[in-house]
C-alpha cells in the first residue's frame, strides 16, 4: 500500500484566497483525521471522520475551515478565505477502527499564506 | 486546552546514553497511549504504544512507562543512536480520537 497520500506537498497562496488540501487514506481504513502542526500547539486535531461521517469537528478553528469526505478514499480540507495565521503543516491520518488506535500519517501539506 | 503536554521542547543526549522523554496528560478517560517519531519533511510514524491496563511496554531499544496515578508517561531509548534524532510526539487516545503533545526534539550527539 502507498500509505496515506496528501496533495499538494507545498502550497503558497495569498491572503483571502481559497485553499483546498487533499487526502487519500489507506485502503480499508475507516477513520480519517486532519491535524495541524504548529510550534505552539504541536499536532492539533481539527476534525475526525468515521465511515465518511464527521464525528468531531470541535477542533476546527473557525468557520473559514471546512472538511468533507465524499467517499472512503478521499477527503478535503478547505480554508476560505485563508489568512497568514493559517500557515502551518497540515497532516492527514487514517486508521482502522479497532486496530488498537494506531494511526498512519501522510507526509503533510506545508501551507504558507502571504 | 492542551490535554497532552510535553514540557520539554528539546533534549540532547550523548550517543550510547539513555534518552528519557516525558509526557503528561489531564484526561483520565484516555485508555491508550502512543509515541510517534517525526523526521523533517515527513509525517509522524508510529513508534510504540501502551494500553492503560499496563504500566510498561518494551520494544527493542524503546520502552514506554505509564504511571496512571500521576497521569504521566515516558519513553526511554537505550542506547541512544544518532539516527534517533527526531521530534517525538506523545499521543493519547479515548475511543478512536488521538490527542497529541507539542513534541520534544531529540538530538543524539555522536
Amino acid at each position: 500500500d502507498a500509505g496515506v497520500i496528501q496533495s499538494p506537498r507545498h502550497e503558497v497562496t495569498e491572503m483571502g484566497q481559497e485553499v483546498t488540501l487533499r487526502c487519500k487514506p489507506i485502503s480499508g481504513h475507516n477513520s480519517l483525521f486532519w491535524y495541524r502542526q504548529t510550534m505552539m500547539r504541536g499536532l492539533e486535531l481539527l476534525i475526525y471522520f468515521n465511515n465518511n461521517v464527521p464525528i468531531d469537528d470541535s477542533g476546527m478553528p473557525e468557520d473559514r475551515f471546512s472538511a468533507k469526505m465524499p467517499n472512503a478514499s478521499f477527503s478535503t480540507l478547505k480554508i476560505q478565505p485563508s489568512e497568514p495565521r493559517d500557515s502551518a503543516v497540515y497532516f492527514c491520518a487514517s486508521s482502522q477502527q479497532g486496530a488498537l488506535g494506531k494511526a498512519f500519517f501522510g507526509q503533510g501539506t506545508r501551507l504558507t499564506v502571504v | 486546552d492542551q490535554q497532552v503536554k510535553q514540557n520539554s521542547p528539546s533534549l540532547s543526549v550523548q550517543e550510547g546514553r539513555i534518552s528519557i522523554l516525558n509526557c503528561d496528560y489531564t484526561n483520565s478517560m484516555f485508555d491508550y497511549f502512543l509515541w510517534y517519531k517525526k523526521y523533517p519533511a515527513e509525517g509522524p510514524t508510529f513508534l510504540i504504544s501502551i494500553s492503560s491496563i499496563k504500566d510498561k511496554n518494551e520494544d527493542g531499544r524503546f520502552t514506554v512507562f505509564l504511571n496512571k496515578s500521576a497521569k504521566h508517561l515516558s519513553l526511554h531509548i537505550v542506547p541512544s543512536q544518532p539516527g534517533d534524532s527526531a521530534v517525538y510526539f506523545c499521543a493519547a487516545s479515548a475511543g478512536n480520537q488521538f490527542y497529541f503533545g507539542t513534541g520534544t526534539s531529540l538530538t543524539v550527539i555522536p
Side-chain angles (χ1 to χ4, degrees):
Chain A
D1 198 315
V4 176
I5 300 172
Q6 290 185 248
S7 64
R9 289 295 310 276
H10 303 275
E11 176 79 36
V12 180
T13 191
E14 290 187 348
M15 181 175 64
Q17 296 298 306
E18 177 180 299
V19 175
T20 299
L21 312 182
R22 296 172 175 79
C23 175
K24 182 181 187 311
I26 292 173
S27 177
H29 283 188
N30 57 2
S31 295
L32 184 140
F33 311 83
W34 282 99
Y35 286 90
R36 176 171 66 177
Q37 182 187 6
T38 62
M39 291 294 292
M40 290 298 294
R41 300 180 68 85
L43 281 167
E44 181 183 14
L45 177 66
L46 300 178
I47 187 169
Y48 149 53
F49 292 87
N50 192 41
N51 293 322
N52 312 339
V53 176
I55 302 300
D56 183 358
D57 65 353
S58 59
M60 297 285 261
E62 298 172 35
D63 291 344
R64 299 183 296 106
F65 285 69
S66 62
K68 293 183 180 179
M69 192 165 186
N71 56 63
S73 59
F74 184 65
S75 176
T76 59
L77 177 68
K78 185 179 294 186
I79 308 172
Q80 165 65 18
S82 58
E83 296 182 3
R85 60 194 168 117
D86 301 331
S87 298
V89 181
Y90 291 80
F91 288 101
C92 174
S94 71
S95 74
Q96 193 169 31
Q97 192 168 18
L100 299 180
K102 189 189 300 184
F104 294 83
F105 283 77
Q107 291 188 292
T109 295
R110 179 173 294 278
L111 173 65
T112 303
V113 183
V114 298
Chain B
D1 190 23
Q2 201 78 12
Q3 297 191 58
V4 178
K5 299 178 182 179
Q6 293 176 257
N7 293 319
S8 298
S10 63
L11 174 69
S12 291
V13 172
Q14 207 72 31
E15 180 179 3
R17 306 296 290 268
I18 185 171
S19 295
I20 300 176
L21 295 93
N22 294 303
C23 177
D24 297 293
Y25 61 95
T26 58
N27 190 341
S28 57
M29 297 299 290
F30 289 143
D31 58 4
Y32 196 70
F33 304 88
L34 310 92
W35 285 94
Y36 280 78
K37 179 178 178 179
K38 183 184 179 305
Y39 292 117
E42 294 184 11
T45 55
F46 172 78
L47 184 59
I48 192 169
S49 63
I50 187 167
S51 165
S52 61
I53 62 173
K54 295 186 175 181
D55 54 20
K56 177 182 174 181
N57 188 28
E58 190 172 352
D59 183 3
R61 297 184 298 111
F62 302 90
T63 303
V64 56
F65 295 92
L66 176 63
N67 182 336
K68 290 186 289 295
S69 60
K71 294 191 178 68
H72 176 84
L73 68 156
S74 61
L75 174 69
H76 292 208
I77 307 172
V78 57
S80 302
Q81 300 174 353
D84 297 330
S85 297
V87 177
Y88 289 79
F89 288 96
C90 165
S93 171
N96 204 27
Q97 298 189 47
F98 302 88
Y99 298 89
F100 284 81
T102 50
T104 296
S105 178
L106 172 66
T107 301
V108 180
I109 304 164

